[in-house]
Amino acid sequence: TFVGHATVMLTTPLARVLTDPYLGDFFLGLRRAEAACLHPTDAADVNLILISHAHRDRLDPASLRRLRGRAAVLVPPRCAPLVGGLGFGRVVELAPGQSFEFADVEVTAVAARHEGARGLLDPAWRGACGYIVRSAGANVYFAGGTAYFSGFEEIGRRLHPDVALLPVAGYEPPALREGNMSPLDAVQAFSDLGAKLLVPVG
C-alpha cells in the first residue's frame, strides 16, 4: 500500500512492514501536497520498519515516535544511534549482504548509490542501502534512495525481485542524478532487475 513519498506498507499474515516512514505534513517549511495515507489502526499494527538512509525525509524522529513500541527497526550502518532513543523494542544495523528474519518475512540489505549523511553538518559517515523483503514466495525490492548503478543487475540475478519499489525524485539539474534516479533511470533499473512490477515512489 502506497502511503506517500517513499513510505510503503507491505502486509503479510504476520507482519506489517513500513518503509522510510515520513508521516508529517511539512518538510523544511513546505507543506506536502498530499497527506500520508496511514490510518492510526494500521500504524498501530506496524511491527517492522525499514530505513534506507539517514536523510531527514527518510529517518524522521517525529514520524518514528508515532510508530514506536513493539516494532523492530532495520537501519544501515552507523544509523542506529539516531533511532536508539526513540522507544523501539529492537534496532538492528544491516550492511549490504546481511539478512534479518522477523515473523514470516526475511529482509536482506542490498547496496545503494546514495550519500547517507544526516545533513550538511553531520560529520559522520553513514550507510545507505535498499532491502529485499521475502515472504510466502514473493520478493519485494525497496531500493530506498539511490541513483542508477550497475548493482541493479546483480540484485536481479541473485535475489530475483517480483516487485520493484524504485525512487523517482530530484533528478534535475543533471548533477542530482549522482544520487537520484530519473524516470528513464528507473525504467532501466527495472529492466536490469528483471522484476514483474514497477512501483515508482518518492
Side-chain angles (χ1 to χ4, degrees):
T1 304
F2 181 63
V3 176
H5 189 40
T7 308
V8 176
M9 186 171 65
L10 308 174
T11 302
T12 73
L14 299 178
R16 275 271 169 91
V17 184
L18 205 62
T19 66
D20 283 351
Y22 190 84
L23 307 177
D25 293 326
F26 292 88
F27 183 69
L28 298 178
L30 299 175
R31 177 181 286 277
R32 68 190 299 167
E34 296 287 339
C37 300
L38 184 64
H39 192 276
T41 302
D42 294 323
D45 285 342
V46 170
N47 54 11
L48 183 61
I49 298 168
L50 310 181
I51 304 291
S52 67
H53 59 282
H55 288 182
R56 295 177 188 279
D57 62 331
R58 305 301 185 111
L59 196 166
D60 176 51
S63 296
L64 290 170
R65 286 189 189 98
R66 293 168 62 177
L67 302 165
R68 65 185 169 192
R70 63 192 181 102
V73 185
L74 305 187
V75 298
R78 298 192 62 163
C79 292
L82 300 172
V83 181
L86 298 179
F88 290 97
R90 190 170 184 190
V91 178
V92 179
E93 288 190 351
L94 281 190
Q98 295 181 323
S99 295
F100 178 80
E101 293 187 7
F102 182 90
D104 58 349
V105 302
E106 180 186 36
V107 180
T108 300
V110 296
R113 182 182 161 197
H114 200 70
E115 200 284 306
R118 184 72 173 149
L120 294 176
L121 301 179
D122 183 5
W125 175 88
R126 302 190 193 276
C129 60
Y131 299 96
I132 294 281
V133 181
R134 298 184 186 87
S135 182
N139 293 344
V140 177
Y141 171 44
F142 171 62
T146 185
Y148 176 79
F149 72 124
S150 60
F152 289 119
E153 191 170 353
E154 182 182 358
I155 291 167
R157 179 177 54 80
R158 289 193 304 107
L159 299 170
H160 312 290
D162 301 299
V163 179
L165 308 174
L166 299 179
V168 178
Y171 56 89
E172 290 186 353
L176 291 179
R177 288 174 66 191
E178 289 298 314
N180 301 286
M181 287 203 289
S182 71
L184 289 179
D185 291 333
V187 170
Q188 183 61 57
F190 177 60
S191 175
D192 291 351
L193 291 163
K196 300 171 185 174
L197 178 66
L198 166 62
V199 180
V201 298

